[in-house]
Amino acid sequence: MNKQHINRRSVIKGISTSAALALSPGRSAYGATPKTDVLVLGAGLSGLNAALTLEDVGYRVRVLEGSERIGGRLFTAPADEVPGYPEMGGSGIGRHYARILDVANRFDVAMERSRPRTEPVRGEIMLHVRGTGILPDDWAEHPLNPFVTATRRKRSLTGFQFSVYGDDDNPLPLGDLEAWQSGRHAAMDISVHDFLMRKRVDPQAIQLGCGTNMSYGRNVHDLSALMGFQSANLVRSLYRGNDAFSGGALAAVGGNQRVPEAMARAVTSEILMTQHIHSIASDQHGVTVTTKRGDVHTAKYCICTFPFSALKHVRVSPYLSGKQAQAVHELGYTPVFQVHVIPTKPYWEKDGLPPSMWTDTCAGRFMALKNDPAAPGKITSCLSFVNGEMAQYLDRLPPDVAAQNVLAALARIRPATQGALKVVKVYSWNRSPFAGGAYAYWKPGQITRFAKEMRAPLENIHFAGEHTAVINRGMEGAMESGERAAIEVMERLG
């Protein structure tokens, strides 16, 4: 599927390049005055890929970014704040991320093996469930293990969430990566809770295995099982028997944010920062975008890459309506709250336990990170990665108070950490005005109800962003969507 999309882009690029080369120097691609052809809103992966795609064939672009940083929700912690530049958003780069790997190669961004963020080195994590610490080797036979089958009792809780979408239950045809939005599988567009209850999984097992430290969503009633089946179908379709994708995930040397930064340097058009958008208006003359401080930008077309959690706070004219409006106001975004700490004392040596913990407390997944290539065994920092409803709870507190709550929870369940951890950075994706959550997720029924309609153009406004991708998720989904929106605009400009 990725190859098909790349080939389509190459064909359209070839046609459009021929037309662009025929233009006189200084003329815009659609033959008007030398003004901006396309405004791109957002300097994340989707916006930058759209801008580069349009520039490749001669169109004039202006990129408007609301924050002071390139990369959007792909965010590497600054090295002067957290040692080892851990990823705050956008962790591993899958081997199938063709577009990401292509731009990394084109713009000389070196790659290395992925550095774990929420998944620790095997054997270096312990569990803390219902007030009890449990070593990995003891979990399978522990009385607090709620699972029934021998296979599930042995499975790590860190990987249980993804195991529920096994081949035996997956209704999506192998290799058909667009089937999940076809409408033919609405019977699986139900909550993860309801799906597992149909399989007679114990409610306690559902809550612990899928409702604690969730990768997507807020709780087991809030997440569509069909979304999980799509992710599983992508992996089994691309990776099974494919040696080219073996070897695990990758990361950019120096942090994954180096990828969008390299893309931004390659953009020859303007990239204007701190452009907090107030309104987007489309009429017969084109598109007018106004910022909150009163700056006005005009172009023939606009590609808006904002997550819907941010777009719903922007005035759009003409008004969004019907299923598209429902999507903008209802699509879910996963709450993620992070507390980055530096260990000032080797607490793991004091109590002799693994340095990382998977907990059912407000500390979430507490991961000891090893991000020093010169000393691969050294713990450079630790991260409390908190998802779902627990992240929402922490969001209601002042950031410093929330961080102290996390440290207090750690001290209760593991006394050796008391006084051994120094908070260096607290970050909430929910609190970001340009994100409103870490990444999109689908609530029960939403895929069937508005998946196709939500990415439709609104007059001269086109939409991109990982939430509008069909085949991929995450970083590659963002790239896919930017490419798709750019092609849509090129077809209209041509």
Side-chain angles (χ1 to χ4, degrees):
M1 283 297 179
N2 283 328
K3 291 182 179 179
Q4 291 176 7
H5 279 251
I6 292 170
N7 290 340
R8 180 170 183 257
R9 172 182 173 180
S10 300
V11 170
I12 294 175
K13 177 179 175 180
I15 296 171
S16 301
T17 300
S18 300
L21 290 175
L23 297 172
S24 300
R27 297 288 288 177
S28 72
Y30 61 89
T33 56
K35 297 178 180 179
T36 303
D37 296 315
V38 186
L39 291 171
V40 176
L41 308 185
L45 289 173
S46 55
L48 293 171
N49 199 34
L52 288 169
T53 303
L54 290 162
E55 283 190 343
D56 280 349
V57 296
Y59 293 110
R60 297 175 183 270
V61 179
R62 177 178 294 169
V63 181
L64 307 179
E65 166 59 39
S67 73
E68 299 177 347
R69 179 181 58 79
I70 294 292
R73 284 169 290 162
L74 202 169
F75 186 11
T76 300
D80 60 348
E81 295 183 11
V82 188
Y85 44 86
E87 305 298 348
M88 300 175 64
S91 185
I93 295 173
R95 299 273 175 166
H96 68 285
Y97 282 16
R99 297 170 181 84
I100 289 283
L101 295 175
D102 174 61
V103 297
N105 181 60
R106 285 167 57 194
F107 305 135
D108 299 319
V109 180
M111 288 286 157
E112 61 185 356
R113 288 291 300 272
S114 178
R115 299 165 296 123
R117 180 179 67 175
T118 61
E119 299 298 325
V121 176
R122 186 179 299 275
E124 293 190 357
I125 186 169
M126 63 178 293
L127 305 177
H128 196 277
V129 176
R130 298 182 188 174
T132 303
I134 307 169
L135 291 172
D137 291 344
D138 298 333
W139 175 241
E141 302 301 326
H142 200 277
L144 288 179
N145 188 326
F147 304 106
V148 176
T149 66
T151 300
R152 284 185 171 168
R153 288 188 67 84
K154 293 179 182 178
R155 189 179 298 276
S156 166
L157 284 174
T158 59
F160 179 82
Q161 294 174 39
F162 299 100
S163 72
V164 302
Y165 309 109
D167 290 348
D168 292 342
D169 299 301
N170 200 323
L172 302 177
L174 188 68
D176 188 347
L177 302 181
E178 300 181 14
W180 68 299
Q181 293 192 7
S182 67
R184 298 190 301 271
H185 305 285
M188 286 298 186
D189 196 6
I190 59 176
S191 74
V192 171
H193 173 271
D194 289 353
F195 165 69
L196 291 176
M197 287 295 288
R198 289 182 184 180
K199 291 176 62 64
R200 301 182 185 279
V201 177
D202 183 91
Q204 290 188 358
I206 296 173
Q207 180 56 39
L208 182 62
C210 289
T212 307
N213 298 325
M214 297 179 67
S215 295
Y216 291 98
R218 295 182 302 119
N219 57 59
V220 289
H221 301 279
D222 189 49
L223 178 65
S224 171
L226 186 55
M227 176 182 168
F229 286 124
Q230 160 60 6
S231 297
N233 195 36
L234 175 66
V235 172
R236 67 176 185 168
S237 297
L238 295 182
Y239 282 75
R240 184 166 298 168
N242 191 336
D243 293 337
F245 291 153
S246 63
L250 299 169
V253 174
N256 289 336
Q257 195 175 340
R258 307 296 84 85
V259 175
E261 288 172 348
M263 294 171 70
R265 288 192 294 270
V267 172
T268 59
S269 304
E270 291 181 299
I271 300 179
L272 303 180
M273 309 300 290
T274 66
Q275 299 287 306
H276 198 162
I277 305 304
H278 172 265
S279 64
I280 309 168
S282 175
D283 58 26
Q284 68 270 26
H285 303 295
V287 178
T288 300
V289 173
T290 305
T291 71
K292 290 194 173 182
R293 65 174 176 239
D295 299 337
V296 177
H297 305 273
T298 60
K300 185 67 174 177
Y301 292 96
C302 169
I303 296 177
C304 177
T305 71
F306 298 163
F308 284 172
S309 47
L311 181 61
K312 65 184 178 183
H313 300 296
V314 175
R315 181 176 297 174
V316 179
S317 177
Y319 293 120
L320 293 160
S321 61
K323 293 182 178 180
Q324 193 169 40
Q326 293 175 23
V328 170
H329 289 278
E330 297 176 16
L331 187 68
Y333 280 80
T334 301
V336 170
F337 190 95
Q338 300 180 10
V339 181
H340 295 260
V341 301
I342 297 175
T344 57
K345 301 175 185 176
Y347 60 86
W348 56 93
E349 293 180 0
K350 183 177 181 179
D351 60 17
L353 297 173
S356 298
M357 293 183 285
W358 190 101
T359 85
D360 58 1
T361 73
C362 69
R365 286 169 283 187
F366 181 76
M367 299 298 163
L369 307 180
K370 299 180 178 181
N371 290 333
D372 185 351
K378 177 184 176 181
I379 295 175
T380 51
S381 69
C382 299
L383 166 62
S384 264
F385 193 96
V386 189
N387 298 67
E389 291 178 334
M390 199 65 78
Q392 290 182 305
Y393 160 72
L394 293 174
D395 273 330
R396 290 194 288 267
L397 304 173
D400 58 334
V401 175
Q404 292 306 312
N405 275 19
V406 169
L407 292 186
L410 290 170
R412 283 193 301 272
I413 66 178
R414 190 161 179 178
T417 65
Q418 188 163 6
L421 303 173
K422 176 185 176 183
V423 176
V424 291
K425 191 171 186 65
V426 180
Y427 195 79
S428 167
W429 281 107
N430 246 18
R431 287 176 175 263
S432 168
F434 307 109
Y439 32 77
Y441 72 93
W442 300 86
K443 300 177 185 179
Q446 289 185 340
I447 296 172
T448 305
R449 183 153 50 97
F450 52 58
K452 291 183 178 180
E453 291 81 1
M454 59 183 268
R455 59 181 176 270
L458 180 68
E459 291 195 357
N460 288 6
I461 305 170
H462 290 249
F463 299 97
E466 53 92 19
H467 53 290
T468 68
V470 178
I471 294 173
N472 292 283
R473 300 289 308 165
M475 288 183 266
E476 187 69 4
M479 296 286 284
E480 171 195 316
S481 73
E483 177 184 294
R484 184 259 310 151
I487 291 171
E488 289 176 354
V489 171
M490 284 193 290
E491 289 173 339
R492 297 181 70 179
L493 284 169

